[in-house]
Amino acid sequence: MKVLNNVKAVSEALEVAMEKWDDVVVYGEDAGYEGGVFRATEGLQAKFGEKRCFDAPISEAVFAGVAIGMAVNKMKPVVELQFEGLGWPSLQNILGHMGRMRNRTRGKYPTPVVIRMPMGGGIRALELHSEAMEAMYAHTPGIKVVCPSTPYDTKGLILAAIESPDPVIVFEPTKLYRAFKQEVPEGFYTVEIGKAFKIQEGNDLTVVTYGAQTVDCQKAIDELEEKNPDVTIELIDLRSIQPWDKEMIFESVKKTGRLLVVHEAIRSFSVSAEIIASVNEECFEYLKAPSMRCTGYDIVIPFDSGEAYHQPHPKKILVKMEEILNYKF
Amino acid sequence: MKFIGKFDPLKDEVVRIMDKNGKIIDEKLVPKMTDKELIDAYSLMNLSRRQDDFQNKAQRQGRLLSFLSSTGQEASEIGYTLPLIKGKDWFSSGYRNNAAWLSVGMPMRNIMLYWMGNEYGGQSPKGVNSLPPNIIIGSQFSHATGIAFAEKYRGTGGVAVTTTGDGGMSEGETYEAMNFAKIHELPVIFICENNKWAISTPYKKSTKSLNIAVKGIATGMPSIKVDGNDLLAVYAVAKEAVEHARSGKGPVFIECDTYRLGAHSSSDNPDIYRPKAEFEEALKSDPLIRMKKYLIDKKIWTDKKQEALDKKQDEFIRAEFDWAEANKSYELEDVFNFQFAEKTPDLEKQYKEAKEFFAKYPEVAKGGHH
C-alpha cells in the first residue's frame, strides 16, 4: 500500500499503465518535461522517455484528433487537457469522431482514447478554469464518462479507462487533487466503470453526488445526523457518470423513499436531471417526497469573487436535505 | 529528389509533365510506369467518372441520398493513391474522394451503400486501411497524423495519406495537424486538392496566399505544387513524397492544382455561382481526356478499346449498385451494436424496448411518415 493524494494517484495509474502496455502514450500541453500544470504526469517522461510522454503543441483540436488516429491504428493514447474549459477546441474531435468512429466503421475502427481533464471550481482560478460540463460529454453517444473523488478510485478508474475498448473521459476534480490522502494498493487494479460507491448506509434519504461534492455532502450529512440522531442518510458517490449505476441508486431510493442529487454543474439538462427522470420512471410509487437537486445555477461560472454564489456548499446541501425530509404531501 | 525541394512554391512553380493535349513536356520527369500500369490507372479514372455519372442519375431518381462527386479530380486522386501499399499504408479521406477510395481498394458497393445511408459502407474490408468519408472538414488531417504516429512508434513502416480541398485549408485543424506531424517527423502526406470552389465560395475568396502549397512551408515540411490534372505529375510527386516519408524524413505537403467539374454535392447547382467561361476553360484541362490522348499517342489505347472499357465498367457499376440497393437496409441490432464494445445495461434495455415496439409496429421501422 502507498499513501497518495488524488494527483499522485493519477501519476501512479499512468505509470502502472505504461509499464503494463507498451502502446500507451501520454501527452498534453506541458505534460512531458514539466509533468503538467498539476504535475499529474510528473516523472513519466524521465522514466519512459520522450517517445511515450511528451509535450503537445497548444492545439487541442489536433491532439484529440491525433489520439483518434493513434487509436484507429491500435495504440492507447492518454491525452491530458490542461483544464476542461481550455479543451473546447477538442470537442470537434471528441463529439464528432471519438464517440462515432466505432459505429461509422461498424466496429472496424474503435477509438479507445482516454482523455483526462481537471474539472470544477473552488480553486480560485481564472476564467474558463472551473468548468463542469460533464453532462455534455455524457450526452454524447459512444463515450464513457467517469469522475473519481478518491485516490483509490482515481487510480482504479484511470486504469479501467485505459484498459477499456471504448473511449473514456476522466474528469478529475481539481479541488480534490491535493485535498486528502488515502491508502492505495500498489500495482495494477481497476474500479469497474459503471459502478457507484456507497460511502455510508442510511434509511431516510439517498444523496447521490460525485467529484468534489462528495466532501461537501459528507460534511452536510454529518451535521444533519448530529442534529437529528434518529435520521440516517445514505450517501452514494456515483464515480461513473455514463454509464451510471442505476441498480444501486434505484435500490437505495426504494429503501429511503427520498432522493437528493448534488453537483456543481449547471442545473438544466444535467446529470441530476437524468437521474431524477430515471428515478421517476422506475421508483415513482416508492417516493415519499419529490426528488430534488442542489446544483450550480444556469449561469456562466462566476469569477472567483462570485464563485461562492454558484458552488454547492455544505449549508446549501443541508437546507435542501431538510426540505426533502420535512416535505409533506 | 527530382521534385521535392526543386520546385519552389514561393516562386509559384508547378510540377507538370504532360500538357493539356497529353504531350510530354519534359521526358526526364516522366515516372517509370509500364503500359499496363498506365492503362490500369486510366481505367480507374474512367471507372470513377462513370460511377459519378451513374450516381448523379440515380440520385435524381431518389435512389441515392446525396453524394459528392470527384469528376475533374480523378488524376489527382488516382495519382496520390497509386504509390500506396495495400494493407500497409493508410488513407484518411475527405468526403470527395471517389476515385481515391476505388484506388485504395474500397469496394464500389461500399461507397454506394454509404451514400445510400448505410454505415456498413464506411467499413473498409480486411486488408484495406481506409477511414470512411469524413464530413467534418479538416479533422482527417489529425487522424492521418495519429495513424502515422502509430506507424512510426511501432516502426511498422506504413505511410498515411490524407486530403482536403482548398476550402478545407481554411480550417485551423489542417495547420495544427501538419505542425504536429512535422514536430514528430511522421510518415504522412498531406494533400490539398485545390479544386477552386468551396461550395459556392471561390478560391480567391478563401485565401490571399500566393498558392496553397506555401501554407505547408510554415510548418517546416517540404511543400510542393503540382498540376493536379496531370496523372503522371501527381503520381511522380506523390511517389517521391511517400518514399521520403517512409524513409523517416517526415511529412510532405502537396497541392494538387485541379478543378471541380461537377457540383459540390448532388443537391447543389453550380450554375448559380460558377462563371460559365471559367467552367468551359476548365473543361479543356479535363484530366481524363488528357490521359486518353497521352495513351493514344503512345499507341497503347484506341477508341475501340475505350468503347469496350466503358461497356464493361457500366455493367460493373450497375451490378454494384443493384447489390447495394438490395442490401441497403439493416436490422435494428445494427443501430445499437456499435456504440460500445459491449452494450451498456442501459443500452441493452433501450434495445429491448425498441425491439418490442418494432415487433408490434413494424411499419414504423420503414419510415415514410414525413
Side-chain angles (χ1 to χ4, degrees):
Chain A
M1 290 285 203
K2 280 183 182 173
V3 180
L4 302 173
N5 62 19
N6 274 306
V7 77
K8 286 287 170 204
V10 174
S11 320
E12 170 92 1
L14 296 174
E15 190 179 339
V16 169
M18 290 171 91
E19 274 169 358
K20 186 173 168 70
W21 296 292
D22 288 341
D23 49 5
V24 171
V25 292
V26 172
Y27 63 93
E29 283 149 24
D30 307 302
Y33 185 76
E34 188 202 24
V37 290
F38 291 102
R39 309 288 181 268
T41 55
E42 196 170 36
L44 296 178
Q45 190 177 76
K47 181 165 180 183
F48 297 99
E50 267 194 76
K51 193 183 172 193
R52 298 190 64 194
C53 177
F54 55 90
D55 296 326
I58 304 177
S59 47
E60 289 83 358
V62 79
F63 58 71
V66 162
I68 288 163
M70 289 177 176
V72 159
N73 205 353
K74 299 195 163 38
M75 287 183 67
K76 289 172 178 284
V78 182
V79 181
E80 175 174 296
L81 288 181
Q82 206 158 55
F83 285 92
E84 184 186 349
L86 305 186
W88 300 151
S90 68
L91 287 176
Q92 149 122 311
N93 272 296
I94 296 174
L95 310 188
H97 290 292
M98 204 171 89
R100 300 170 61 96
M101 192 67 91
R102 177 190 288 280
N103 185 59
R104 57 202 285 273
T105 60
R106 302 276 94 166
K108 183 168 183 189
Y109 295 132
T111 51
V113 175
V114 175
I115 298 193
R116 301 175 30 242
M117 49 181 116
M119 61 84 78
I123 53 157
R124 313 205 63 190
L126 292 174
E127 191 177 9
L128 285 163
H129 288 63
S130 305
E131 313 301 294
M133 300 289 277
E134 59 275 13
M136 181 176 68
Y137 295 91
H139 195 63
T140 306
I143 294 174
K144 293 184 174 175
V145 179
V146 299
C147 181
S149 68
T150 64
Y152 178 88
D153 287 352
T154 298
K155 182 176 169 187
L157 276 170
I158 288 177
L159 285 169
I162 298 171
E163 193 177 44
S164 166
D166 301 305
V168 183
I169 310 270
V170 182
F171 284 107
E172 298 167 2
T174 320
K175 197 180 165 184
L176 299 187
Y177 265 150
R178 297 174 198 281
F180 55 89
K181 290 181 179 178
Q182 187 185 28
E183 279 199 342
V184 172
E186 310 225 12
F188 182 83
Y189 71 94
T190 57
V191 168
E192 190 181 343
I193 295 170
K195 293 281 178 251
F197 178 72
K198 196 176 285 179
I199 298 175
Q200 68 169 52
E201 299 265 358
N203 294 317
D204 302 298
L205 167 65
T206 300
V207 176
V208 175
T209 190
Y210 53 90
Q213 280 66 54
T214 51
V215 177
D216 297 333
C217 286
Q218 186 70 67
K219 280 183 193 157
I221 290 167
D222 290 349
E223 197 179 329
L224 183 107
E225 286 181 338
E226 204 177 75
K227 275 204 297 186
N228 308 283
D230 50 337
V231 173
T232 58
I233 311 289
E234 187 137 304
L235 177 59
I236 294 172
D237 179 358
L238 204 56
R239 296 200 291 201
S240 178
I241 291 171
Q242 172 65 305
W244 58 283
D245 196 342
K246 289 188 166 182
E247 207 180 329
M248 184 189 284
I249 285 151
F250 293 162
E251 196 189 307
S252 174
V253 172
K254 284 175 182 173
K255 177 176 72 175
T256 64
R258 298 183 186 89
L259 171 67
L260 173 68
V261 186
V262 182
H263 56 63
E264 64 182 289
I266 53 175
R267 184 173 305 165
S268 299
F269 307 97
S270 60
V271 174
S272 58
E274 174 60 30
I275 293 174
I276 291 171
S278 301
V279 164
N280 274 346
E281 285 176 346
E282 299 290 334
C283 313
F284 186 71
E285 65 270 35
Y286 295 87
L287 293 173
K288 298 172 189 158
S291 302
M292 294 189 192
R293 48 186 160 171
C294 179
T295 69
Y297 305 110
D298 293 359
I299 54 173
V300 174
I301 312 297
F303 292 11
D304 182 58
S305 298
E307 200 184 6
Y309 291 122
H310 178 75
Q311 286 258 310
H313 179 276
K315 190 53 127 188
K316 272 189 186 171
I317 299 166
L318 182 67
V319 167
K320 213 69 194 166
M321 286 195 293
E322 285 171 342
E323 192 184 336
I324 301 177
L325 288 165
N326 296 327
Y327 186 87
K328 297 271 182 295
F329 278 103
Chain B
M1 293 287 194
K2 263 184 179 173
F3 305 100
I4 296 168
K6 299 276 181 356
F7 288 78
D8 186 358
L10 289 167
K11 294 181 189 146
D12 206 24
E13 289 172 345
V14 183
V15 181
R16 182 173 292 126
I17 296 176
M18 65 165 94
D19 70 10
K20 285 183 183 181
N21 294 310
K23 303 273 186 239
I24 297 300
I25 299 165
D26 186 346
E27 280 293 346
K28 291 195 296 295
L29 298 180
V30 177
K32 280 197 188 75
M33 289 176 88
T34 64
D35 290 351
K36 184 177 180 302
E37 283 170 339
L38 285 166
I39 289 168
D40 285 350
Y42 173 70
S43 297
L44 268 174
M45 292 168 67
N46 198 65
L47 180 66
S48 181
R49 176 69 62 93
R50 299 188 84 76
Q51 183 191 345
D52 271 354
D53 290 345
F54 181 93
Q55 289 185 171
N56 263 318
K57 286 179 197 127
Q59 201 275 336
R60 279 195 287 274
Q61 293 166 358
R63 298 166 77 189
L64 214 64
L65 296 177
S66 185
F67 81 102
L68 300 110
S69 93
S70 285
T71 293
Q73 292 184 191
E74 294 91 344
S76 161
E77 292 183 31
I78 301 296
Y80 65 69
T81 45
L82 276 187
L84 299 180
I85 302 169
K86 276 198 187 70
K88 183 181 180 80
D89 295 334
W90 291 78
F91 183 47
S92 171
S93 68
Y95 49 61
R96 185 187 313 291
N97 283 129
N98 194 72
W101 292 322
L102 292 174
S103 175
V104 299
M106 281 302 279
M108 187 183 286
R109 56 181 60 185
N110 287 40
I111 302 169
M112 289 168 160
L113 267 189
Y114 182 88
W115 298 128
M116 286 175 184
N118 181 320
E119 289 90 339
Y120 278 104
Q123 186 191 58
S124 55
K126 204 165 184 292
V128 176
N129 302 330
S130 177
L131 296 188
N134 186 12
I135 305 299
I136 298 174
I137 296 167
S139 49
Q140 66 270 34
F141 272 39
S142 295
H143 304 163
T145 298
I147 286 168
F149 188 101
E151 290 297 326
K152 183 175 179 183
Y153 184 86
R154 284 197 297 258
T156 31
V159 172
V161 167
T162 186
T163 175
T164 190
D166 45 308
M169 293 308 294
S170 304
E171 293 279 359
E173 198 174 340
T174 53
Y175 169 78
E176 292 181 28
M178 292 196 288
N179 187 50
F180 194 106
K182 183 58 188 171
I183 289 169
H184 292 275
E185 298 290 14
L186 302 179
V188 51
I189 312 301
F190 298 102
I191 312 261
C192 171
E193 292 170 88
N194 180 356
N195 68 18
K196 310 298 183 293
W197 289 92
I199 308 189
S200 65
T201 303
Y203 169 56
K204 294 288 174 207
K205 286 190 177 173
S206 280
T207 182
K208 294 293 177 192
S209 279
L210 173 66
N211 51 52
I212 297 275
V214 297
K215 295 185 184 224
I217 292 174
T219 66
M221 75 176 68
S223 304
I224 188 164
K225 181 173 171 179
V226 54
D227 182 338
N229 288 351
D230 174 352
L231 177 96
L232 299 181
V234 179
Y235 171 72
V237 169
K239 193 164 188 294
E240 195 177 89
V242 167
E243 281 162 10
H244 176 95
R246 205 187 300 283
S247 68
K249 296 193 185 103
V252 178
F253 181 70
I254 303 172
E255 175 185 359
C256 293
D257 185 26
T258 182
Y259 194 85
R260 190 189 83 204
L261 289 173
H264 162 67
S265 79
S266 50
S267 329
D268 165 56
N269 178 10
D271 293 344
I272 299 168
Y273 53 80
R274 188 172 61 191
K276 200 161 180 264
E278 181 194 286
F279 174 65
E280 277 163 7
E281 189 57 34
L283 281 176
K284 293 177 192 160
S285 300
D286 185 331
L288 222 64
I289 295 170
R290 208 160 155 182
M291 189 64 186
K292 187 177 164 189
K293 282 180 177 165
Y294 171 69
L295 297 179
I296 289 173
D297 281 356
K298 224 173 148 33
K299 304 207 186 318
I300 58 173
W301 199 246
T302 61
D303 284 332
K304 209 174 154 193
K305 281 182 180 167
Q306 180 73 43
E307 212 176 297
L309 180 72
D310 289 348
K311 189 167 174 289
K312 190 176 123 200
Q313 291 188 336
D314 287 348
E315 281 165 12
F316 175 73
I317 292 164
R318 160 65 67 183
E320 290 290 283
F321 188 82
D322 288 348
W323 184 92
E325 212 169 34
N327 290 280
K328 70 173 181 179
S329 58
Y330 52 65
E331 300 298 314
L332 178 67
E333 290 87 86
D334 291 333
V335 303
F336 285 94
N337 276 352
F338 302 104
Q339 303 302 322
F340 296 110
E342 279 176 44
K343 286 199 272 292
T344 60
D346 204 28
L347 210 49
E348 189 69 55
K349 206 178 147 214
Q350 290 178 29
Y351 166 57
K352 284 197 180 106
E353 174 194 311
K355 205 170 163 182
E356 278 166 28
F357 177 85
F358 289 113
K360 205 167 171 189
Y361 304 104
E363 70 278 9
V364 181
K366 293 191 188 88
H369 54 289
H370 297 297

